[in-house]
Amino acid sequence: NENDKIIDPACGSGGFLVEALRHVHKKIEDNGSKLGWPKSEIDAEKISKINSNFRGIERDGFLGKVAKAYMVLLGDGKSGVYPGEDSLNNPKDWSLKTRNGIQLNSFDLVLTNPPFGAKIKVEGEDKLKQYNLSYKFEKEKNNNEWAKTNKIKSEEAPQVLFIDRCLQLLKDGGRMGIVLPDGILSNPTDGYIVDYLLKNCEIIGLIDMPMSTFLPKTPTKCHLLFLKKVKNPKKNY
């Protein structure tokens, strides 16, 4: 809704942000019309909401600038997009401007399609130690449950770390829509990731997407996963 604080931490050219913005603008127009607001007041409310509630980070400087341009065309909002910044870096290493605009545990909604692929790896202990999913997990013999060890991996795929970062960005009760490759949800060796999600979230929905979805860029089979961040997920919901 128009009061949701929204972020895409891998926003690319801004597709998810733009569509969310269109949706919020429509709500503001409908509400303003019902209340009899003049057009100038409706426009001012649109600008206020986009500047305070929409945020995007994109590591690729060019794509990030494209996202800023799209946001400007739709009614400012350029100040909420941060090109050339790496979402996976420790927030204390972000630029001052990014740190002022984006804080962990503060967003109502995360919408993202993070980068993924076997050839992309994130390395560096200082970077990896921020994330629970960068540690090794092992099955406990007595109950067959996944348990986190104190051993950190030497590298991890970005799509795995983005799950953790997105949850860190959300406030309690916040919602997330994320595109993930099928392997994360179906490989037995990645079972700890699904277990981690089930222990920290409630699943709102899962959309199975055809292999043609992202052609010709990639034939990877993907899912769109919708989650709600909760401290104590309900059982059998």
Side-chain angles (χ1 to χ4, degrees):
N1 61 58
E2 58 267 39
N3 294 314
D4 280 335
K5 196 166 181 183
I6 299 163
I7 187 169
D8 184 345
C11 71
S13 58
F16 284 179
L17 292 176
V18 165
E19 291 308 317
L21 179 60
R22 291 186 203 277
H23 182 78
V24 167
H25 276 185
K26 179 71 164 55
K27 289 205 165 216
I28 292 171
E29 287 170 1
D30 291 347
N31 189 47
S33 296
K34 285 178 186 175
L35 296 173
W37 291 359
K39 184 177 184 302
S40 59
E41 196 167 335
I42 291 175
D43 290 343
E45 179 71 2
K46 286 180 181 179
I47 292 172
S48 171
K49 293 302 183 188
I50 184 175
N51 283 337
S52 59
N53 289 349
F54 282 76
R55 296 290 181 266
I57 302 179
E58 174 51 48
R59 185 175 178 179
D60 185 306
F62 174 75
L63 285 177
K65 288 174 183 176
V66 171
K68 284 173 81 81
Y70 274 132
M71 298 297 270
V72 170
L73 290 172
L74 288 169
D76 209 357
K78 62 182 182 296
S79 60
V81 178
Y82 303 94
E85 196 77 79
D86 187 347
S87 298
L88 297 179
N89 278 346
N90 194 310
K92 68 180 176 57
D93 296 326
W94 290 345
S95 69
L96 178 61
K97 189 176 179 182
T98 307
R99 293 200 307 272
N100 288 338
I102 296 175
Q103 293 83 39
L104 302 183
N105 301 301
S106 66
F107 287 90
D108 300 287
L109 199 61
V110 170
L111 300 168
T112 195
N113 179 8
F116 50 81
K119 295 180 181 179
I120 314 173
K121 296 293 181 186
V122 178
E123 300 173 314
E125 185 175 345
D126 284 345
K127 198 169 187 177
L128 291 170
K129 68 183 181 183
Q130 304 174 82
Y131 305 104
N132 287 306
L133 291 176
S134 67
Y135 286 80
K136 293 181 180 179
F137 282 70
E138 294 177 350
K139 279 278 187 81
E140 294 183 325
K141 293 180 181 177
N142 56 341
N143 58 13
N144 210 32
E145 291 271 330
W146 287 101
K148 178 185 165 187
T149 71
N150 60 3
K151 299 174 186 173
I152 197 164
K153 300 171 189 171
S154 60
E155 60 181 26
E156 185 53 275
Q159 64 265 28
V160 175
L161 300 183
F162 264 103
I163 294 172
D164 240 340
R165 176 58 89 213
C166 289
L167 289 176
Q168 291 169 1
L169 287 164
L170 284 174
K171 60 175 67 169
D172 288 335
R175 296 152 291 148
M176 172 165 66
I178 185 170
V179 178
L180 291 173
D182 174 74
I184 281 184
L185 304 176
S186 60
N187 290 342
T189 53
D190 289 332
Y192 68 94
I193 299 174
V194 174
D195 184 68
Y196 181 76
L197 287 171
L198 292 173
K199 286 177 178 174
N200 291 279
C201 310
E202 289 176 359
I203 310 298
I204 298 172
L206 179 66
I207 296 176
D208 181 12
M209 296 192 289
M211 291 181 71
S212 58
T213 303
F214 296 110
L215 288 176
K217 297 291 186 184
T218 175
T220 303
K221 172 79 175 159
C222 295
H223 291 81
L224 182 53
L225 182 61
F226 295 100
L227 306 166
K228 182 179 180 181
K229 179 181 175 181
V230 289
K231 286 182 178 176
N232 298 299
K234 299 191 292 281
K235 302 236 181 195
N236 301 319
Y237 58 87

